Amino acid sequence: MSGILILAEHRRGELRAATLEAIGAAGQLKAAVGGEVSVAVIATDPSAFVPAVSVGAVDEVVTITTPEAATFEPHLYERALSDLIAARKPALVLMPHSVDSWALAPAVAIANDLGFATDVFGLQVEEGAVVATRAGYQEKVFVEIDFPGRAGVLVTLRSGAFEPAAGPAQPRITPFEAGDAQRRSRHLDWRDPPATGGIDIPGSPFILSIGRGVGDEANVAQFLELAEGLGATLGCSRPIADNGWLPKARQVGQSGQLAAKCNLYVAMGISGSVQHQWGMKHVENIIAVNKDPEASIFSIARYGIVGDMLEIAEEVRKQKGL
Amino acid sequence: MKILVPVKRVASLDDEFELRDDGRDVDPDFCEFDLNEFDEYALETAVLIKEAAPEGTVEVVVLTIGPDDADDTLRKALAKGADRAIRVDDADLGDADRVAIARIIAKVAEQEEPGLVLCGAQSSDFGHAQTGMSVAALLGWPRVAVVSRLDYAPGAASATVERELEGGLVERIEVETPAVLTIQLGINTPRYASLRAIKQANAKAIESRTPTDLGLSTGEIGGAGALSRVRRVYVPERGKSEMIEGTPSQQAARLLEIIEEVQG
C-alpha cells in the first residue's frame, strides 16, 4: 500500500499536457505518501511516450502494450489499469479530470474499491491519509473529502491546478502484461473543430466576451460592432455558441479556445463557470460586468461592475461615439 | 423499449447562506432547487428518440433520488415528454455520494431493463461527473461520456455517437447497446413544456420506492455504499474585484478609462 500511480493520457500520438500536471502533483506528495511515483502508459506502442513522461519525480514508467488501444477505449483501459492496481496496490492513483477520465475513473474506482474524488484542486496527506479539496455549489464553497477505511484513493485533477513537472528524470521501464479485455466501442473517426474563419481568440490581446446575459439573439450583432469599435475580438461563453448565435471559434473555455495571448478580457453577462474560467482566468486584466453580485466571475476579475450588460454597452457606445 | 433518464435536483445557493450545524454541507433552507441543466438535454435526447419511433414503442422513464419535494423535478420532466416517473426516497441515504446514488440507479435499471440509460454529463451544482459512468460500471454496460450527438434506432445492437473532447475535437464512435451515455449541453434544444403538458404531468402518479424495496443491501446504502465522505465544507477566502460603483454612465466611463490604461 504505497506509492503514487499516474495514468498517462495521450491522444492522436501526443501526450496530453494534463499528464505533466498530475506528475507535478505526485512530486509534491511523494514524500508524504511514501513509495515511488510510477506512470502507466497504455498504448499500442507505449515506448513512444516514455521520453515525454520521463520528467519530475517519476521513478518508473510501466508500459502496457495493448494492440487494440490505438485510441482511448474505456473498457480496455479499465481492464489494464485495474490489473495494474490489483498487482501494485498504490496508495494514490492520479488522472487528469478530462473527458477520457470521466468514462474511465468511476469504473476503476468501483472495481478496485478505491476512495474516489473528481475535479480536485487540492491534495494533502494527514497522518498517512489523503484529503482532497474541490469546489461545490457553482464554486461558492470548497469541500474537503476524506476516504475512511480505504487503502487506495483515485483522484482526478482539475486542469491548471498543479504545476506541471519539469526537468528530466531517468525512470526504469517496466513492461506489464494486462489480462484480455473485450472492447465495447469502436473508433470511427476524428473531426477537428470547424475552421475559425479568421477569428483568432488564442492570438488576440483584447477580448470582449459575452454570455447568457445578452438574453436574445437579436442583441448579439451590436456586440460584434462594439468589439470592433473598441479594437477587441468578440468572444463568448458556451451557451451562446450552443445556441448558434456565434460560431464555435469564438467560444472561450475548455471545449473551445484558450485566450492564450490576452491581456485585457471584458466579460459581459458571463457568470464564470469552471469550464469558461479555464480559458481566461490567467488574463491579467479582467473586467466583469454582471447583474449578479455573487457571480463567480467577480472572484477572478480585477475590476467588477454590477449592472446590466446591455445598459453598460449602450453607455460605452454613446461615450465612444460608436 | 425503454429509455431510463436519471435526473438530479440541483441546488443554487441564496446570496446569503449558512452551513449545516455539522459543517459538512450547506443548510438546505438556503438552497433553491431545479432540474439539472445537463439532464434536460439527456431527457430531450430520449424524447426525440421516442418521437422518431413508431408510436407506443418507446417509453421514457425518469428517475430521481430525493425527498417528497423532488417530485416537482419529476413533474417538470413529465411535462417535457417523459412517460413515467420514479422517485427513490433518500430518507435512509445519509452520507451517500455519487457512487452510492449510482447503486440505486443501477438497481432500477436492472428492473426496468432499458435499451439506453441517458444521464447528464455532470451536475451544474457540483460537477463531479461520476454518477452516470458509475451506473455503467455497476451494470457492466458499454459506456461513452460527454456525448454531443447520438444516432440510434430503438432495438439496434449499436449506436453511433460523437463525444466532445477538449478544445472542441470530436470523436465519432460506434458503441454496443444497451449502453449508458452521458449527454453534453448543446446536443439539442430542450423544449419548453406547454401549459397542457404541465397540467397533464400534475395529474400523473409518481412511483415511489425505497432503496430496500429495490433489493439493495445495508452495505450498499448511503455512506456504506460510498467511496468518499465530505469532511468539511467552508467558504473560501478569495480575491474580490475592485468594484466600479456609480450610475451606468459613470461605470461605462471608468470601463473605457481602464481599457485605455491597459492598452497604453
Side-chain angles (χ1 to χ4, degrees):
Chain A
M1 244 45 83
S2 76
I4 303 175
L5 176 66
I6 296 149
L7 176 66
E9 182 168 310
H10 56 89
R11 188 171 292 152
R12 296 166 107 182
E14 285 188 28
L15 184 78
R16 294 193 34 82
T19 304
L20 301 179
E21 293 176 14
I23 296 173
Q28 289 175 27
L29 293 162
K30 185 177 178 177
V33 171
E36 296 197 320
V37 173
S38 304
V39 178
V41 183
I42 302 168
T44 47
D45 176 18
S47 65
F49 299 99
V50 167
V53 298
S54 296
V55 292
V58 176
D59 299 299
E60 180 193 29
V61 180
V62 182
T63 55
I64 307 175
T65 304
T66 313
E68 279 202 275
T71 55
F72 172 80
E73 206 284 335
H75 309 89
L76 295 179
Y77 269 60
E78 177 190 342
R79 170 85 275 136
L81 191 58
S82 285
D83 284 355
L84 182 61
I85 290 168
R88 298 290 189 87
K89 300 190 169 41
L92 183 60
V93 182
L94 298 177
M95 295 183 197
H97 188 64
S98 62
V99 174
D100 284 1
S101 295
W102 289 17
L104 175 66
V108 173
I110 290 169
N112 296 280
D113 222 12
L114 303 173
F116 184 38
T118 50
D119 199 19
V120 165
F121 50 74
L123 277 171
Q124 298 98 252
V125 179
E126 294 177 12
E127 291 165 19
V130 173
V131 178
T133 306
R134 72 186 313 282
Y137 298 105
Q138 286 115 352
E139 307 286 303
K140 288 184 179 166
V141 303
F142 284 4
V143 182
E144 279 179 3
I145 296 171
D146 61 7
F147 313 94
R150 302 283 159 192
V153 175
L154 192 165
V155 171
T156 70
L157 303 177
R158 176 173 286 187
S159 171
F162 294 89
E163 279 295 311
Q170 276 82 44
R172 62 178 191 284
I173 314 299
T174 315
F176 180 82
E177 196 85 32
D180 283 339
Q182 187 76 39
R183 60 158 57 250
R184 312 292 294 277
S185 59
R186 192 166 62 91
H187 170 84
L188 298 173
D189 51 36
W190 299 109
R191 210 180 59 235
D192 288 297
T196 57
I199 299 161
D200 186 15
I201 293 286
S204 176
F206 177 17
I207 296 169
L208 171 75
S209 215
I210 59 172
R212 267 187 226 267
V214 76
D216 194 281
E217 185 172 11
N219 294 329
V220 172
Q222 58 170 292
F223 285 92
L224 268 167
E225 287 162 24
L226 182 65
E228 197 183 340
L230 292 170
T233 304
L234 186 69
C236 66
S237 65
R238 175 163 194 130
I240 305 301
D242 275 352
N243 285 344
W245 295 356
L246 284 171
K248 196 92 179 155
R250 295 197 186 273
Q251 184 188 321
V252 177
Q254 218 152 8
S255 52
Q257 308 286 324
L258 176 69
K261 299 251 167 74
C262 187
N263 175 45
L264 175 59
Y265 192 94
V266 182
M268 304 188 83
I270 295 175
S271 61
S273 71
V274 184
Q275 286 80 11
H276 187 77
Q277 287 189 20
W278 179 89
M280 49 68 77
K281 74 168 175 209
H282 56 276
V283 175
E284 192 179 341
N285 299 289
I286 299 170
I287 311 173
V289 181
N290 205 292
K291 271 190 203 165
D292 174 9
E294 300 298 319
S296 60
I297 193 86
F298 289 123
S299 68
I300 58 160
R302 184 155 175 191
Y303 302 99
I305 293 175
V306 177
D308 179 346
M309 65 182 277
L310 296 172
E311 214 175 332
I312 298 293
E314 178 58 39
E315 281 296 334
V316 168
R317 242 190 318 274
K318 238 196 287 179
Q319 293 176 26
K320 275 292 261 189
L322 295 170
Chain B
M1 193 205 78
K2 292 177 190 173
I3 303 176
L4 181 64
V5 183
V7 298
K8 182 183 176 186
R9 195 175 73 128
V10 294
S12 54
L13 300 184
D14 298 341
D15 287 354
E16 305 276 324
F17 60 88
E18 287 173 18
L19 298 181
R20 235 165 46 184
D21 286 344
D22 68 359
R24 294 169 60 216
D25 203 350
V26 171
D27 184 335
D29 285 352
F30 299 89
C31 296
E32 300 274 337
F33 293 101
D34 201 358
L35 176 57
N36 177 30
E37 188 184 8
F38 289 81
D39 298 345
E40 297 221 26
Y41 289 84
L43 175 61
E44 181 68 23
T45 305
V47 173
L48 289 173
I49 292 171
K50 177 178 82 169
E51 289 173 345
E55 205 175 332
T57 58
V58 175
E59 183 181 50
V60 176
V61 182
V62 287
L63 159 70
T64 200
I65 290 109
D68 296 0
D69 293 356
D71 283 354
D72 292 349
T73 306
L74 290 173
R75 293 205 189 280
K76 188 170 178 184
L78 287 168
K80 287 173 180 256
D83 300 296
R84 280 173 54 214
I86 302 170
R87 181 174 62 81
V88 179
D89 197 84
D90 69 350
D92 301 324
L93 293 186
D95 279 344
D97 68 352
R98 281 65 52 197
V99 173
I101 294 294
R103 293 187 203 280
I104 297 170
I105 297 170
K107 274 286 181 220
V108 173
E110 279 171 13
Q111 292 172 7
E112 296 287 335
E113 299 182 324
L116 281 180
V117 178
L118 302 180
C119 306
Q122 59 181 325
S123 62
S124 54
D125 53 355
F126 275 82
H128 289 282
Q130 294 177 5
T131 312
M133 291 292 105
S134 295
V135 171
L138 292 163
L139 291 168
W141 286 13
R143 58 186 187 268
V144 181
V146 195
V147 168
S148 55
R149 187 190 162 106
L150 168 61
D151 289 312
Y152 174 66
S158 68
T160 305
V161 306
E162 293 182 357
R163 67 177 187 125
E164 187 192 80
L165 299 163
E166 290 81 4
L169 176 67
V170 168
E171 183 182 20
R172 225 159 51 87
I173 298 172
E174 186 183 73
V175 60
E176 295 169 14
T177 54
V180 182
L181 310 177
T182 67
I183 303 296
Q184 173 64 305
L185 301 177
I187 188 173
N188 50 41
T189 309
R191 68 195 64 195
Y192 288 98
S194 66
L195 273 174
R196 191 163 150 264
I198 293 169
K199 266 191 196 156
Q200 286 172 343
N202 288 339
K204 273 191 189 165
I206 287 171
E207 300 165 40
S208 173
R209 313 263 170 84
T210 67
T212 326
D213 293 345
L214 294 168
L216 284 159
S217 66
T218 326
E220 296 171 301
I221 297 171
L227 296 181
S228 64
R229 184 184 71 167
V230 172
R231 182 172 83 168
R232 180 170 83 103
V233 164
Y234 62 100
V235 179
E237 296 226 5
R238 43 165 54 128
K240 193 76 191 151
S241 316
E242 179 187 316
M243 295 316 260
I244 301 168
E245 313 286 348
T247 64
S249 160
Q250 290 164 332
Q251 290 173 315
R254 179 73 187 118
L255 175 63
L256 282 168
E257 247 174 53
I258 296 167
I259 291 173
E260 273 164 35
E261 280 166 24
V262 171
Q263 294 194 306

